[in-house]
Structures are given as C-alpha cells and as structure tokens.
Amino acid sequence: MRSPDLVADVAGVLVSEEQIRARVAELGAQISADYAGRELTLVSVLKGSLPFMADLMRAITIPVSIDLMEVSSYGGTATESSGLVRILKDLSSSIDGRDVMIVEDIIDTGLTLNYLIRYLRGKNPRSLHICTLLDKPARRLVDIPIDYLGFTIPDQFVIGYGLDYGEHYRNLPFIGVLKPEVYAAP
Ligand code: 5GP
C-alpha cells in the first residue's frame, strides 16, 4: 500500500463532523431516556468503534460502565468481511444479569455482529441491544435487530471516524469515501 494522504485520497465526505455530532447527541438522549433508572454496560468493538464509543458515552446521562472487545474477521480481504470471527480481546468483566449495549461502527454483511450477539447472549446478560453508527443494508447476509442507528449509507467502502483502510484514515473526523485509485494502488 502506498503512503496515505489524508486530504488528497478522500473523494468526498459522506457524513460530516457536524452531522455525526448532532446524531450522537440524539442517540445519547434517546438511550438515556429508554434506560432511565437503570445502569448500562456499553461494549465497544475495537478498533473502529473507538471514536463513536468515546462520543456516545459522554452523550449518555445515566450511569454506564464500559468494556472493550476486539475481534478480527479472517479469510476476507481489506474491504470484504468473511464472517469467520476470531476474538482478539475478550470482555474484562462479567455481564451476567446486566443491561448490555453493543456499540458498533458499521454493519455491513452482519456476519461479525451475528457472531458477537450469539457470543454475548451466552454470557447471560439481562438484556442485549445494538447501537451502530452506520448501517450498510445493501450487502446484509443475516438479519440483525438494530435498536439504535446513526445513519444508513449506500454500498460504498467508507473511512474515517474510526474506520480504516489498511489501518489508515481512522483519525479523519468525518465519514468519507476514498478515491478508487487508492484501492487500485499496489
Ligand atoms: P460485517 O461483518 O457486518 O460485514 O462487517 C463488519 C466490519 O467490517 C465492521 O466492523 C468494519 O470493521 C468492517 N467494515 C464493513 N464495511 C466497512 C466499510 O465500509 N469501511 C470500513 N473501513 N470497514 C468496514
């Protein structure tokens, strides 16, 4: 992969910093209202969900604890998920009897989340809900019940606000689309 250029490589902005900020505030308010009087465990899926998790937790006004998991899908390519999931980092604390929300960056085929939902259900939480910043429904292979959704996006590979291409572009503050020649580059 050639050296990334965080300005020149971006074909366009799909969701701006301002749109993200406004929607995260709405999601935080909605979650706070829905879980009023309860405590919530937010489980973020590294690394792509990191900025969303950091912003969302501060938009929630009820008590939360956080935990982090890291998974990798293997057997796929840089832009295609395979559905074979390996847990690189597991939960630090028990979620037995807790209200749990998975905080995801993006749902594409749904295979990764489908695996995670089944895995976390097996740990006996009181409730388990899904919050994702982005939904790309065009390529869905398994049905995923999304409880809180930031934005529905078209079938394009996006980067920024935590999302990477070859581990780069995660630090862009918006959701953007890469120029096709970036993928074509050897
Ligand atoms: P799924 O298993 O739903 O197909 O894929 C989920 C994971 O694939 C996401 O958590 C993310 O890491 C990656 N992914 C899916 N679509 C995109 C995309 O458009 N851009 C980036 N950077 N990653 C994506």
Side-chain angles (χ1 to χ4, degrees):
M1 185 174 164
R2 65 174 176 71
S3 182
D5 184 323
L6 270 67
V7 176
D9 293 351
V10 177
V13 175
L14 202 59
V15 188
S16 72
E17 212 176 334
E18 293 71 28
Q19 286 173 301
I20 295 171
R21 196 177 304 123
R23 190 72 189 110
V24 170
E26 287 174 358
L27 289 172
Q30 167 121 46
I31 291 167
S32 305
D34 292 351
Y35 285 84
R38 289 150 77 183
E39 278 187 40
L40 187 58
T41 300
L42 300 173
V43 175
S44 168
V45 188
L46 295 172
K47 304 171 193 163
S49 306
L50 203 56
F52 182 42
M53 175 73 149
D55 287 342
L56 182 68
M57 63 185 277
R58 287 176 292 173
I60 295 176
T61 52
I62 58 158
V64 297
S65 26
I66 64 169
D67 211 334
L68 305 169
M69 287 189 71
E70 183 169 6
V71 300
S72 79
S73 61
Y74 56 99
T77 67
T79 60
E80 299 276 331
S81 165
S82 67
L84 299 169
V85 177
R86 179 185 293 147
I87 294 179
L88 301 178
K89 188 212 165 299
D90 206 339
L91 297 173
S92 306
S93 308
S94 167
I95 55 167
D96 193 339
R98 312 238 359 151
D99 289 310
V100 175
M101 174 109 56
I102 301 176
V103 178
E104 254 292 21
D105 48 4
I106 186 166
I107 305 176
D108 185 15
T109 63
L111 293 171
T112 307
L113 205 49
N114 188 49
Y115 175 88
L116 261 184
I117 289 168
R118 279 185 292 148
Y119 180 77
L120 293 178
R121 277 210 186 111
K123 296 192 172 288
N124 201 30
R126 177 180 171 205
S127 66
L128 181 64
H129 290 100
I130 312 294
C131 178
T132 183
L133 180 68
L134 302 174
D135 179 25
K136 213 157 56 166
R139 298 177 1 115
R140 190 76 88 256
L141 294 177
V142 282
D143 191 35
I144 300 284
I146 302 176
D147 302 288
Y148 301 93
L149 169 63
F151 303 92
T152 301
I153 61 166
D155 185 12
Q156 280 177 306
F157 187 79
V158 292
I159 40 90
Y161 196 66
L163 290 157
D164 75 308
Y165 176 65
E167 290 299 326
H168 290 110
Y169 310 102
R170 293 191 196 274
N171 53 322
L172 290 171
F174 52 81
I175 305 289
V177 180
L178 283 182
K179 289 182 179 163
E181 55 263 38
V182 177
Y183 305 111

